[in-house]
Amino acid sequence: MARPSPSPSLLVLAAVAAAVCLAQPGAADLKVGYYASTCPNVEAIVRGVVQQKMQATIRTIGSTIRLFFHDCFVEGCDGSVLIESTPGNQAEKDASDNKSLAFEGFDTVRSAKAAVEAACPDTVSCADVLALATRDAIAMSGGPFFPMELGRLDGLSSTASSVPGQLPEPNQTMDQLLAVFKAHGLNMSDLVALSAAHSVGLAHCSKFSDRLYKHRPGKPTDPTLNPKYARFLESKCPDGGPDNLVLMDQASPAELDNQYYRNLQDGGGLLGSDELLYTDNRTRPMVDALANSTAAFYKAFADAIVRLGRVGVKSGRRGNIRKQCDVFN
């Protein structure tokens, strides 16, 4: 099947979104090679830690990438999701929408930051360490390698109350999902591209069990689910059973690839928000295009991650460089 060309309206949307992101306070300070003179080995140091952590467990991949998403979508890419709660402050990571963030992501950033501090004290922000670790997790799991813009400062606050409404939810409509992305300066093509991170993720049964047992009266199973896939999910998540974890891509769970989109074409999207990308006429052509071309997927995903990394960047007095990622200086 021939690859459909992007419509003029989608190209305009992409250009507008990129301009909005660059216009955000702090985003103009980002650049490739930001630490070339102050910490020239930072990328090699972070890459070495990510490689070590990935060899230890497959969960390093998805958990690190997801951590970056959750950080950038709440108060911008400022490392605030890494902060631990204290008796006087419930931090972002303890908000209900963040409680499923896996230990492996936090551990990867903590270890990478410690290694960077040993080489270049008080120089590289936790936000940049997280951004680099995310880029390396993507590349080492079969996704694209791309230059990562750096120069973020760490945020000065982290509160659980800032999280509700900022993150996309698995049961949202397409209009709701697009509104969440638009609020962060991102567009429809970013939504479709960034969703492919689910190819290396895991999800709790509670995030999709309604699609198996409570879709609607008289029709408990979501008809957009491939019947064979639905039976498999029922075996992993029996009705009323434990809230188990399920791989989001059964075909290539350790590879960040465009198999994710082929799964959607086959009714194999795990979350309702995944399959919606294929059933909604606005995003279906993009799903088909990315399913049919690895090169197109690599470019779309890399471009979207770079745009995501510009969201809410802190500069000047709005941020600092934390010595330790889980506590304020």
Side-chain angles (χ1 to χ4, degrees), residues 32 43-44 46-48 50 131-150 256 294-295 297-299 301-303 305-306:
V32 174
E43 297 202 23
V46 173
R47 189 175 302 121
V50 174
L132 285 173
T134 299
R135 187 274 307 275
D136 292 337
I138 290 166
M140 291 180 194
S141 59
F145 181 87
F146 50 92
M148 177 58 81
E149 298 173 340
L150 301 172
L256 202 161
T294 297
F297 163 63
Y298 277 179
K299 185 179 189 310
F301 192 78
D303 288 349
I305 284 283
V306 169

Side-chain angles (χ1 to χ4, degrees), residues 54-325:
M54 283 180 58
Q55 289 171 348
T57 172
I58 186 179
R59 294 193 65 182
T60 296
I61 305 168
S63 60
T64 302
I65 298 169
R66 187 167 179 243
L67 194 59
F68 185 58
F69 289 172
H70 280 237
D71 184 41
C72 293
F73 267 76
V74 181
E75 302 295 337
C77 309
D78 65 353
S80 53
V81 74
L82 305 169
I83 292 290
E84 293 283 351
S85 294
T86 64
N89 178 64
Q90 187 181 32
E92 282 180 32
K93 69 179 295 187
D94 288 323
S96 59
D97 284 343
N98 282 337
K99 289 199 173 191
S100 61
L101 291 172
F103 162 80
E104 288 82 2
F106 292 102
D107 183 54
T108 297
V109 177
R110 178 191 59 77
S111 298
K113 172 64 171 176
V116 170
E117 279 295 307
C120 314
D122 305 314
T123 302
V124 182
S125 67
C126 296
D128 276 348
V129 170
L130 173 55
L132 285 173
T134 299
R135 187 274 307 275
D136 292 337
I138 290 166
M140 291 180 194
S141 59
F145 181 87
F146 50 92
M148 177 58 81
E149 298 173 340
L150 301 172
R152 301 164 187 81
L153 291 180
D154 295 323
L156 305 178
S157 68
S158 177
T159 60
S161 60
S162 65
V163 176
Q166 297 301 308
L167 294 162
E169 301 289 347
N171 296 320
Q172 286 180 322
T173 65
M174 179 59 71
D175 286 342
Q176 290 171 327
L177 291 170
L178 290 173
V180 171
F181 272 67
K182 182 179 178 181
H184 296 87
L186 302 172
N187 65 17
M188 186 184 297
S189 60
D190 296 316
L191 166 63
V192 176
L194 293 174
S195 293
H198 287 173
S199 69
V200 289
L202 298 99
H204 286 276
C205 294
S206 57
K207 295 294 185 181
F208 58 86
S209 59
D210 281 1
R211 300 186 70 203
L212 301 173
Y213 306 111
K214 300 176 183 178
H215 178 63
R216 64 172 181 256
K219 202 169 189 66
T221 304
D222 186 341
T224 66
L225 269 174
N226 180 303
K228 183 178 179 180
Y229 187 47
R231 302 293 83 77
F232 168 78
L233 294 177
E234 287 170 355
S235 72
K236 296 293 184 180
C237 302
D239 195 9
D243 195 16
N244 295 324
L245 279 169
V246 177
L247 291 168
M248 300 187 78
D249 180 359
Q250 298 294 325
S252 54
E255 297 179 26
L256 202 161
D257 55 15
N258 61 344
Q259 177 65 43
Y260 169 80
Y261 301 106
R262 292 192 286 274
N263 291 343
L264 302 186
Q265 292 173 322
D266 191 41
L270 183 63
L271 304 180
S273 56
D274 289 317
E275 197 59 42
L276 185 60
L277 299 179
Y278 193 66
T279 58
D280 192 288
N281 290 333
R282 289 169 286 183
T283 49
R284 185 170 185 164
M286 287 180 274
V287 170
D288 287 335
L290 299 183
N292 292 340
S293 170
T294 297
F297 163 63
Y298 277 179
K299 185 179 189 310
F301 192 78
D303 288 349
I305 284 283
V306 169
R307 285 194 290 270
L308 174 65
R310 296 170 180 159
V311 174
V313 170
K314 305 297 189 296
S315 62
R317 296 183 179 179
R318 299 177 65 236
N320 61 17
I321 294 174
R322 274 183 236 136
K323 189 81 173 175
Q324 190 174 324
C325 289

Side-chain angles (χ1 to χ4, degrees), residues 7-47:
S7 70
S9 61
L10 286 177
L11 292 174
V12 170
L13 276 173
V16 170
V20 168
C21 288
L22 282 172
Q24 292 184 7
D29 296 330
L30 298 178
K31 67 178 183 179
V32 174
Y34 182 86
Y35 299 105
S37 61
T38 57
C39 191
N41 294 325
V42 61
E43 297 202 23
I45 293 170
V46 173
R47 189 175 302 121

